[in-house]
Amino acid sequence: MYIVTTKQVLKVNGTEIDNLEHLCELVENCSTDSLHFDLDDNRVIVLNYETAKIATSRILKRHKIPSAMSADLWLFILMGCLLGIRLGIN
């Protein structure tokens, strides 16, 4: 039996999360081999970044889910990447 509970992600790879957009940006722009999610109950979830990307793609395809996140979050990440490239940040 599985018990589903709601947990808040406080940090990704040691960076405190400001909001959902910030969380998505940190995950999508991950430059390390693993993602460390610090949760509000003092637990840490560690995922291999490349394996998680592949698994996400397979899960979305299997369950016919069109996107891993909403269009507004994709737009936010895309704009951040474009601005970062123009400013020479990335």
Side-chain angles (χ1 to χ4, degrees):
M1 180 168 117
Y2 293 98
I3 298 173
V4 177
T5 59
T6 303
K7 300 294 176 202
Q8 181 178 1
V9 177
L10 301 178
K11 295 180 182 179
V12 173
N13 290 345
T15 301
E16 290 189 22
I17 302 302
D18 296 327
N19 53 42
L20 184 58
E21 289 176 346
H22 188 222
L23 171 72
C24 292
E25 179 184 9
L26 290 171
V27 170
E28 288 299 314
N29 296 323
C30 179
S31 61
T32 62
D33 290 338
S34 60
L35 284 165
H36 294 249
F37 297 96
D38 293 297
L39 306 179
D40 61 356
D41 63 356
N42 294 320
R43 287 195 257 180
V44 177
I45 297 173
V46 180
L47 302 173
N48 176 280
Y49 183 64
E50 288 302 319
T51 302
K53 283 175 55 175
I54 292 167
T56 298
S57 176
R58 289 179 179 168
I59 291 166
L60 294 173
K61 184 176 181 179
R62 178 180 303 136
H63 297 285
K64 297 182 172 116
I65 301 170
S67 178
M69 64 182 80
S70 63
D72 61 326
L73 290 175
W74 276 118
L75 182 60
F76 173 80
I77 290 169
L78 177 62
M79 292 305 294
C81 288
L82 291 174
L83 290 173
I85 290 168
R86 284 188 191 149
L87 297 173
I89 295 171
N90 289 341

